[in-house]
Amino acid sequence: MIDIVASGVLFDMDGTLVDSTAIVEGAWGRFGAQHDIAPSTILAFSHGRQTIDTVRHFLPDLDPTEQRRLADELVADEVENTHGIIEIPGAAAFVRRLVEAGVPVALVTSAPRDLALNRMRAAGVDVPEAVVTSEDVEHGKPHPDGYVRGAALLGLRAEECVAFEDAPAGLRAAVDSGATTVVVGELEDDVTIGLARVHGFDGIEVSAEDGTFRLRG
């Protein structure tokens, strides 16, 4: 159950609005096989982070140019592959309800812009006017830069917003930005302790309240 008053909404993408699990697991599985790294180990670190940060973490001794080349190859493969991408339950309708109610909404994702737009469209979720992608921040999640920037694009401070996130790195970024943070899904982690949680977006009501809005569900 949630009952939150805020002035804007900040959404992560993968695992929060969009389910692209099969594509992500396939890409990192192939990377792991090529570099003799267990896919489960990669996925435990990579979720919510920029691709280049994951490549650097697992191949720290590789030349930076080669690290970037590998990351670009991974992203290019994922941009073209939208098969099986679906929305998190109720996500598309919830985003529409927010926009129709006049709520400022931003997407804050670790994905590059082309990848983010393709996945949102494939899942049938409207892309908000305000979008922060990996190209827009100096420091990726778990650093709070993305959420601070997303709020600023809405003309707000992060502390005035509610952020929806599903991954440890993203949750840490959202919490550290000062946003009221809601866990999406089943994750249990130190960073989720004390946070509100939803398992989808069906049934969450949106109502305007004196220049702010209220979410109940």
Side-chain angles (χ1 to χ4, degrees):
M1 297 292 291
I2 61 172
D3 188 350
I4 296 169
V5 175
S7 297
V9 178
L10 309 170
F11 285 109
D12 171 52
M13 184 183 67
D14 284 314
T16 297
L17 294 176
V18 169
D19 184 350
S20 55
T21 303
I23 293 171
V24 172
E25 289 183 349
W28 286 119
R30 291 187 292 275
F31 175 85
Q34 292 168 359
H35 299 281
D36 196 25
I37 307 168
S40 58
T41 301
I42 300 172
L43 291 167
F45 177 85
S46 67
H47 192 38
R49 300 176 190 264
Q50 294 185 21
T51 302
I52 185 61
D53 291 337
T54 299
V55 171
R56 287 169 177 158
H57 177 79
F58 286 102
L59 301 175
D61 298 326
L62 204 61
D63 180 81
T65 301
E66 183 65 9
Q67 290 174 335
R68 174 56 66 182
R69 185 191 68 79
L70 288 174
D72 288 346
E73 284 185 355
L74 282 160
V75 169
D77 180 59
E78 291 187 74
V79 166
E80 299 302 322
N81 187 1
T82 59
H83 180 70
I85 289 178
I86 57 174
E87 65 170 317
I88 296 297
F94 182 50
V95 171
R96 284 196 298 271
R97 287 200 299 278
L98 290 168
V99 173
E100 289 167 0
V103 177
V105 177
L107 182 70
V108 181
T109 175
S110 295
R113 186 167 295 267
D114 287 348
L115 178 57
L117 298 183
N118 278 7
R119 285 188 179 170
M120 291 284 282
R121 290 165 182 156
V125 182
D126 292 340
V127 179
E129 288 189 16
V131 177
V132 179
T133 62
S134 62
E135 297 97 331
D136 301 319
V137 294
E138 182 177 356
H139 305 290
K141 300 173 184 177
H143 197 282
D145 273 6
Y147 280 108
V148 172
R149 181 176 177 83
L153 290 176
L154 302 178
L156 300 168
R157 294 178 294 109
E159 292 86 349
E160 298 174 278
C161 298
V162 55
F164 289 90
E165 260 284 2
D166 74 305
L171 287 162
R172 175 51 57 199
V175 169
D176 287 352
S177 77
T180 299
T181 304
V182 179
V183 184
V184 179
E186 306 292 339
L187 177 69
E188 296 288 351
D189 186 86
D190 288 348
V191 73
T192 67
I193 296 171
L195 298 182
R197 181 186 299 271
V198 297
H199 297 281
F201 299 99
D202 290 321
I204 299 180
E205 299 177 357
V206 182
S207 58
E209 293 197 355
D210 298 326
T212 62
F213 66 93
R214 190 167 197 159
L215 300 180
R216 288 193 185 97

